[in-house]
Amino acid sequence: MTAPPFNDVRGRGFSRRSTLEAAWSWIDGRVAPPSARPFPLADCAGLVLAEAVVAAGDWPPSDRAAADGYAVAAAETLGAGSYNPVPLMGAVAVVAGDPLPPGCDSVIPYESVQAAGPFVEAVDAVAPGSGVERRGAWMADGSPLLPAGRRLRPADLGLLAAAGHRVLPVLPASRVRILLAGGPKAGAPEQLGDMLAALVRRDGGDVEAVVPLPADMDALADAFTRPGADLILSAGRTGSGPDDVAPPALAKAGSLDLHGIAMRPGGSAGLGRAAGVPVLLLPGEPMAALAAYELLAGRAVRRAAGLPSGLPHATVRAVTARKLVSEIGCVDLHRVRLDDGGRVEPVGSPGWPGLAAAARADGFVLIGADSEGVPDGAQVTMYDFTMYRFA
């Protein structure tokens, strides 16, 4: 496929912007998960299962004690009570997890027995099966455990270990290189590296490196083509100023396929390729970088990890407390909070820079490009900043 000609916006601005849907289509057509590989169970947390997993045996493998106490035949405890203790001649002391001895069908807890010389007596009757986990109660040999596509949690690893699995077919994490192009302006502290690295890890990626670079076209072009990454995110120097060298650097290194997306904030984002690797250009303004990551780069990272490509946030349906103003022709990301009545109210307009409003927000609302906004009292979907569907 021939790359589109490079349109240098420096000093001229954006004459047009691509739709967010066009950017998503570009990502979906060029980013795919790697092939499955066998990984040791201990290294699989956070990775995605490539195949469904079934139990490799019954669990528990035999009837076993579910509590500490004495294994007994329940029939021996019939009629037992505090005024009628019953001797337990065949009682065997057990702890939770011990296989049930032959001839025993229940476990009587310590609280229900009393010492009688070298023996014990029941002061309460138990029913057959009381205090016992039956063989195969949690899983039977060959029963399904976890489906393909599941992002493995720590508890999953314990379950799979119990089921006899030591190696799993998983999708290895994609290696994501983060470039910080030009650094912050006017002596401001660097804000993007740690934030973007955390977002990449949230979405299943492995941060290959975080590399600060000068606003230099050749240095950026070299970083775009250096081997070792499956995906590259470059933050900063994407706009129309004279030092916004990231877009021409990408065009020099490979291709700049889209530059300028109809979204606020983050409208100077871009997409292209270098040495066969997808590259996403994010603005350097921190809130714009966050929005461009959430709506663009995060989709690429999730696809590369084998996770669903849609937004990972848990959602809340709520009613607006005030109007959310928007701009036709542009998808707006509104930072919002839930008030004491559970209604949504804005904490900053889409054009308001900085991360302070994002830190005060509970989430964000997306307003489509064909809308002038959402009136007060309307139902909206809030994407929760703190809860994720596959974290």
Side-chain angles (χ1 to χ4, degrees):
M1 182 182 296
T2 303
F6 169 56
N7 179 28
D8 195 342
V9 302
R10 291 177 294 175
R12 296 186 297 115
F14 294 89
S15 59
R16 61 176 296 275
R17 296 178 193 265
S18 300
T19 66
L20 192 56
E21 290 76 13
W24 289 342
S25 179
W26 187 97
I27 292 169
D28 294 349
R30 290 162 180 81
V31 181
S35 299
R37 287 169 43 197
F39 269 56
L41 182 64
D43 297 336
C44 289
L47 299 181
V48 174
L49 268 178
E51 302 171 10
V53 178
V54 300
D58 293 337
W59 190 260
S62 63
D63 291 353
R64 65 179 187 177
D68 302 338
Y70 290 91
V72 296
E76 294 183 4
T77 69
L78 287 175
S82 57
Y83 295 104
N84 183 41
V86 173
L88 300 173
M89 306 304 293
V92 179
V94 292
V95 296
D98 282 349
L100 212 60
C104 297
D105 61 7
S106 59
V107 173
I108 187 169
Y110 289 123
E111 295 82 1
S112 296
V113 300
Q114 64 185 17
F119 304 105
V120 293
E121 297 175 331
V123 293
D124 198 2
V126 293
S130 177
V132 174
E133 283 185 309
R134 294 298 187 190
R135 174 177 177 172
W138 297 109
M139 65 186 84
D141 186 20
S143 63
L145 290 181
L146 298 174
R150 181 181 179 93
R151 189 176 188 185
L152 292 167
R153 309 167 186 168
D156 295 338
L157 304 191
L159 174 67
L160 292 166
H165 293 279
R166 295 293 176 266
V167 176
L168 294 175
V170 294
L171 304 180
S174 57
R175 299 165 298 173
V176 182
R177 180 177 302 153
I178 300 172
L179 307 178
L180 305 177
K185 296 183 179 181
E190 197 286 304
Q191 302 177 59
L192 301 182
D194 292 339
M195 178 181 77
L196 292 174
L199 288 165
V200 165
R201 295 186 184 103
R202 179 199 76 184
D203 287 337
D206 179 30
V207 178
E208 182 240 16
V210 178
V211 185
L213 290 168
D216 179 83
M217 191 181 307
D218 291 335
L220 274 170
D222 178 69
F224 288 145
T225 56
R226 194 176 307 135
D230 303 308
L231 189 65
I232 297 175
L233 311 183
S234 178
R237 302 302 193 265
T238 63
S240 56
D243 63 348
D244 285 321
V245 295
L250 181 53
K252 176 181 178 181
S255 66
L256 179 66
D257 299 337
L258 299 177
H259 183 210
I261 310 298
M263 56 181 285
R264 290 193 314 163
S268 66
L271 305 94
R273 287 173 293 177
V277 174
V279 179
L280 290 98
L281 304 181
L282 311 180
E285 194 287 307
M287 186 59 219
L290 175 60
Y293 180 90
E294 293 287 27
L295 297 185
L296 292 173
R299 186 182 187 94
V301 175
R302 291 187 293 274
R303 283 187 63 83
L307 293 169
S309 59
L311 288 169
H313 310 74
T315 57
V316 176
R317 290 291 290 171
V319 172
T320 54
R322 304 204 324 253
K323 180 178 181 179
L324 303 180
V325 179
S326 185
E327 179 180 304
I328 287 183
C330 184
V331 172
D332 279 348
L333 185 151
H334 264 278
R335 290 154 283 182
V336 297
R337 64 178 290 273
L338 295 173
D339 67 15
D340 293 340
R343 297 174 302 172
V344 163
E345 62 179 14
V347 295
S349 73
W352 191 357
L355 295 171
R360 296 196 303 270
D362 294 311
F364 61 91
V365 170
L366 293 178
I367 300 178
D370 59 350
S371 173
E372 290 184 330
V374 178
D376 62 305
Q379 276 220 337
V380 293
T381 297
M382 186 191 81
Y383 296 88
D384 196 315
F385 269 142
T386 63
M387 299 183 66
Y388 304 102
R389 292 183 286 111
F390 46 73

